[in-house]
Amino acid sequence: MNIIACVKQVPYPDTPASAYGVDNVGKRITLPEDVPLVISPFDENAVEAGLQLKDQVGGRLTTISLATRPADSVIRDLKQTLAMGADEAILLDDPAFAGGDSWSTAHSLAMAIRKVGEYDLILCGLQAADWDAGQVGLGIAEILGLPAATFVTRIEPGDGCVRARCIIENGYDLLELPVPCVLTVASDEALTPRIAPLPGIIKAKKRKIPVWSASDLEADTAVVGASGAKTVLQELALPEFEGVCEFITAEGLDQAAVMLADRLRSEKIL
Amino acid sequence: MADHKGVFIYGEISEGKLAPVTLELLGIGRRLADARGEECAAVLIDRKADDCAREAIACGADRVYVVQDAPTEFFEGASFTAILERLCTETAAPAILLLGQTITGRDLAPRLAFRLKAGLVMDCVGLAIDPETRNLIAKKPVSGGNALATYALKDGGPQLATIRRRAMEPFKGDERRQGEIVNVPAGVDASEVKAKRIERVLEESEGPSIENAEIVVGGGRGIDSTEEFEEYITKGLARTLGAGVGGTRGAVDAGLISEQSQVGLTGKIIGPNLYFAVALSGAIQHMAGCSGARNIVAINLDENAQIFKFARFGIVGDYRQVIPPLIERLTELLST
Ligand SMILES: Cc1cc2nc3c(=O)[nH]c(=O)nc-3n(C[C@H](O)[C@H](O)[C@H](O)COP(=O)(O)OP(=O)(O)OC[C@H]3O[C@@H](n4cnc5c(N)ncnc54)[C@H](O)[C@@H]3O)c2cc1C
């Protein structure tokens, strides 16, 4: 099975709220320099899902990342996917890609996927932990005219198809999708990314990552980067947490619990 | 956007009634339509849609498109996209289309946006019309809720957004409001739906679904075991209150709850009147799923836990000691 996984680099998502700042001139979120850049968690789950399928039925896994930050740090992340077991990694890097939104990113990635050519399955994370947009995977599917499923937590290979377990409102669906198709992956214990083995890391270090520009993709510059974007970021702000918690205290926890219940009643919450 | 006019909302129906998020969609849809001096229409795709159409008009719609014959055996992600695409291109040409940031809306909105070549902002907590350009302005949390971003949608074609629960006020219902109900055939044929549903497994939860529940009890990694989760949460506090049961990613990872019950940025988004947060720390990604709760009550051992920043009431203590007397007192109160 030929699998492509799209990965994005984001600032470490468990960074404490106090580290966040905004720069409204540059229209960007600011973080201290020591906050590491990592592969977005769901994208790592997508890579893991791809590797598991490869382990089961063989094939190739190619990872693709569109650089939204300096290329060398994104290359480091792509090499990590190679170290984990991916066969090839491709970086999309071009000033023409800059300032894009979900619309333009999905177009750039879709064109790169076309250029890769042979694929049965395209995996994306459900959403990236920086802008939380949650559109690119389904966007790629629409652009390439492929069937797609979201909120996928398990994938099984079939004959000319894959089976995907997808979270729904009150349970889950088991879907069968003919290949090629697109799945956007959510988190699941079974998709915890594997630790790259040492020989893999050493081998990956020596690999050269191909870098594709907009012209390599024969991309219509009107649909990629800022010129292709359908949304314009106007302003950034930090949220305010207004809550003032009323701590219920008493002689013992028994008594506090009773007082809590009474407060909920007197406040007409219950 | 010369030929695109009016605001469409995609309304979800739950247990035969308009889901709470639908009332909020109608509220904001109505206000945006008024700001543009245009109509607000609701699209309802459900076997029971007809019964809900009057309610949608009372709650702000000028027109309701009712699709009752959508084949239930088809995968909705594909079939509903096809239905909505045709409604937005052949039947009408709305300037704005709003959906809920629900599991359904998160699946449908991007598909539709790309098909309609439209801009989309997901998970909005604020929506307005730019008085100059008449374009949609959309505000949403980013970086898991650590920052807020405001986007302007560009001209040309429809503009899409999904809304977070409890971020928008519903419209005050008025039974006398007039509106038109238009029946539209689904017209989906099997060739449009390549993904096949093989099986649907519904949670055997005794409580209401958490996306729509008025009370939700959520548990975190601090709960000791599956047995204790059942004893104190599912069969304890939640059963006493008739509440839905959810939890954190920490609880999912610890095997305490199924992934379907995860609340948060990447799980379900809930908007109950009351959320009991038990033995969970209040991580920003969890709060993204329940920031819409009107009242949060936290029970946590650690007085410095972040959950107390969001809570209205809090008890610092072990859930094993707090929950049993709480249940006892609540049972007394609720029987009077
Ligand atoms: C991209 C991304 C997306 C994410 N999406 C989500 C999401 O959708 N939903 C989500 O929930 N998380 C999500 N997370 C994870 C999130 O950051 C936290 O790791 C998670 O919410 C922590 O779960 P928790 O509060 O149960 O566990 P912990 O943070 O470990 O907290 C456990 C709490 O239990 C308390 N405790 C322990 N014992 C007791 C006791 N006996 N009595 C009372 N209190 C006790 C402790 O004081 C502690 O506060 C996401 C993370 C990332 C990076």
Side-chain angles (χ1 to χ4, degrees):
Chain A
M1 190 183 295
N2 288 311
I3 306 164
I4 295 175
C6 300
V7 297
K8 185 178 191 186
Q9 185 180 61
V10 299
Y12 179 62
D14 266 337
T15 305
S18 56
Y20 283 82
V22 296
D23 161 15
N24 263 313
V25 181
K27 297 273 183 297
R28 53 188 202 102
I29 289 172
T30 58
L31 282 165
E33 290 213 340
D34 57 356
V35 171
L37 296 167
V38 298
I39 300 176
S40 187
F42 295 124
D43 299 353
E44 269 197 305
N45 295 140
V47 171
E48 176 59 34
L51 290 171
Q52 288 180 12
L53 284 168
K54 214 185 92 164
D55 292 345
Q56 281 181 61
V57 294
R60 287 174 67 76
L61 173 66
T62 304
T63 55
I64 304 181
S65 187
L66 187 145
T68 49
R69 294 188 175 73
D72 46 344
S73 73
V74 184
I75 284 178
R76 194 204 56 214
D77 282 352
L78 282 172
K79 285 190 172 172
Q80 185 194 324
T81 66
L82 292 176
M84 285 167 74
D87 300 278
E88 193 157 358
I90 299 160
L91 178 72
L92 311 185
D93 191 25
D94 193 314
F97 295 137
D101 66 354
S102 303
W103 177 269
S104 27
T105 303
H107 275 91
S108 307
L109 287 168
M111 283 181 276
I113 290 165
R114 267 199 195 121
K115 185 172 157 74
V116 170
E118 275 185 21
Y119 53 82
D120 302 302
L121 180 61
I122 299 164
L123 299 171
C124 292
L126 178 67
Q127 63 194 54
D130 52 357
W131 297 106
D132 293 325
Q135 303 180 28
V136 164
L138 289 169
I140 291 171
E142 287 296 328
I143 295 163
L144 298 176
L146 301 177
T150 25
F151 271 102
V152 174
T153 57
R154 253 162 258 183
I155 309 168
E156 266 166 41
D159 190 14
C161 66
V162 290
R163 287 184 171 201
R165 180 168 158 165
C166 309
I167 297 177
I168 57 167
E169 188 192 321
N170 48 355
Y172 65 86
D173 272 349
L174 190 63
L175 300 181
E176 188 174 284
L177 297 96
V179 297
C181 64
V182 179
L183 302 177
T184 78
V185 176
S187 65
D188 187 83
E189 247 193 308
L191 297 180
T192 308
R194 63 191 65 188
I195 313 251
L198 196 57
I201 298 176
I202 295 168
K203 241 170 84 191
K205 258 211 178 107
K206 297 191 204 126
R207 293 277 298 271
K208 206 169 145 39
I209 305 285
V211 182
W212 291 356
S213 67
S215 60
D216 289 330
L217 301 184
E218 292 171 35
D220 178 354
T221 41
V223 297
V224 301
S227 51
K230 298 215 174 256
T231 56
V232 184
L233 180 58
Q234 286 197 312
E235 205 194 332
L236 285 163
L238 294 176
E240 289 166 28
F241 303 120
E242 80 244 51
V244 187
C245 182
E246 182 185 320
F247 284 98
I248 313 245
T249 50
E251 282 285 295
L253 288 174
D254 280 23
Q255 194 49 35
V258 170
M259 283 163 64
L260 171 63
D262 291 346
R263 285 290 279 140
L264 292 176
R265 182 37 77 89
S266 66
E267 290 291 320
K268 300 199 168 55
I269 297 170
L270 278 177
Chain B
M1 262 198 321
D3 37 357
H4 289 273
K5 254 173 93 174
V7 177
F8 268 34
I9 68 116
Y10 167 68
E12 292 179 40
I13 292 172
S14 159
E15 286 161 19
K17 285 196 316 221
L18 295 181
V21 73
T22 307
L23 301 177
E24 293 160 10
L25 283 163
L26 284 163
I28 185 65
R30 178 74 262 155
R31 288 191 293 281
L32 296 179
D34 288 345
R36 291 176 55 97
E38 294 170 355
E39 272 194 0
C40 171
V43 181
L44 303 176
I45 309 177
D46 194 279
R47 296 222 170 278
K48 299 255 170 71
D50 211 16
D51 304 342
C52 302
R54 275 293 330 152
E55 190 189 355
I57 292 169
C59 295
D62 298 308
R63 188 190 303 259
V64 185
Y65 294 102
V66 167
V67 182
Q68 302 225 90
D69 60 344
T72 48
E73 70 276 18
F74 287 173
F75 166 53
E76 293 86 353
S79 62
F80 285 20
T81 303
I83 294 169
L84 285 164
E85 180 196 5
R86 279 193 281 273
L87 265 165
C88 294
T89 51
E90 291 166 18
T91 316
I96 292 172
L97 171 61
L98 307 178
L99 300 93
Q101 178 78 357
T102 55
I103 299 287
T104 309
R106 291 164 84 171
D107 183 61
L108 287 178
R111 294 176 194 268
L112 265 171
F114 278 83
R115 209 165 286 185
L116 298 170
K117 306 200 174 3
L120 162 66
V121 182
M122 304 269 282
D123 199 17
C124 297
V125 294
L127 289 174
I129 300 294
D130 182 327
E132 260 166 50
T133 62
R134 293 172 34 94
N135 286 330
L136 191 61
I137 306 284
K139 184 176 184 174
K140 70 162 282 173
V142 294
S143 295
N146 284 305
L148 285 162
T150 304
Y151 294 91
L153 282 98
K154 284 194 197 164
D155 272 335
Q159 306 182 335
L160 272 67
T162 65
I163 67 162
R164 185 178 281 202
R165 265 312 306 285
R166 293 259 194 217
M168 323 266 169
E169 280 300 310
F171 179 76
K172 260 202 178 58
D174 178 354
E175 287 300 323
R176 292 160 309 179
R177 282 200 70 212
Q178 297 291 311
E180 190 187 352
I181 299 174
V182 185
N183 274 290
V184 185
V188 198
D189 87 82
S191 68
E192 287 179 287
V193 185
K194 297 192 199 103
K196 261 202 320 236
R197 187 168 55 228
I198 309 195
E199 197 187 356
R200 168 160 287 181
V201 178
L202 297 179
E203 276 263 281
E204 279 182 55
S205 66
E206 34 181 313
S209 83
I210 51 174
E211 278 189 332
N212 296 309
E214 276 299 295
I215 308 177
V216 174
V217 182
R221 183 159 29 208
I223 311 263
D224 196 56
S225 59
T226 332
E227 291 73 38
E228 289 207 353
F229 198 96
E230 194 165 294
E231 177 185 349
Y232 291 98
I233 307 290
T234 316
K235 296 204 168 136
L237 197 49
R239 185 179 280 177
T240 308
L241 293 167
V245 175
T248 62
R249 167 107 146 250
V252 176
D253 291 344
L256 299 170
I257 52 166
S258 66
E259 68 222 13
Q260 288 93 267
S261 310
Q262 178 178 318
V263 170
L265 188 65
T266 48
K268 304 276 158 71
I269 300 200
I270 60 171
N273 183 35
L274 175 60
Y275 182 51
F276 265 100
V278 183
L280 61 87
S281 61
I284 196 92
Q285 293 92 354
H286 180 69
M287 300 319 292
C290 56
S291 61
R294 281 245 160 85
N295 301 287
I296 296 179
V297 174
I299 300 169
N300 198 302
L301 263 183
D302 174 8
E303 61 181 322
N304 295 316
Q306 174 163 282
I307 187 64
F308 291 121
K309 286 207 182 117
F310 301 93
R312 182 159 170 210
F313 298 107
I315 294 186
V316 178
D318 189 330
Y319 65 89
R320 279 168 284 220
Q321 284 171 287
V322 178
I323 289 182
L326 183 61
I327 289 176
E328 197 177 313
R329 183 63 174 172
L330 287 170
T331 311
E332 276 170 41
L333 290 175
L334 293 172
S335 64
T336 58

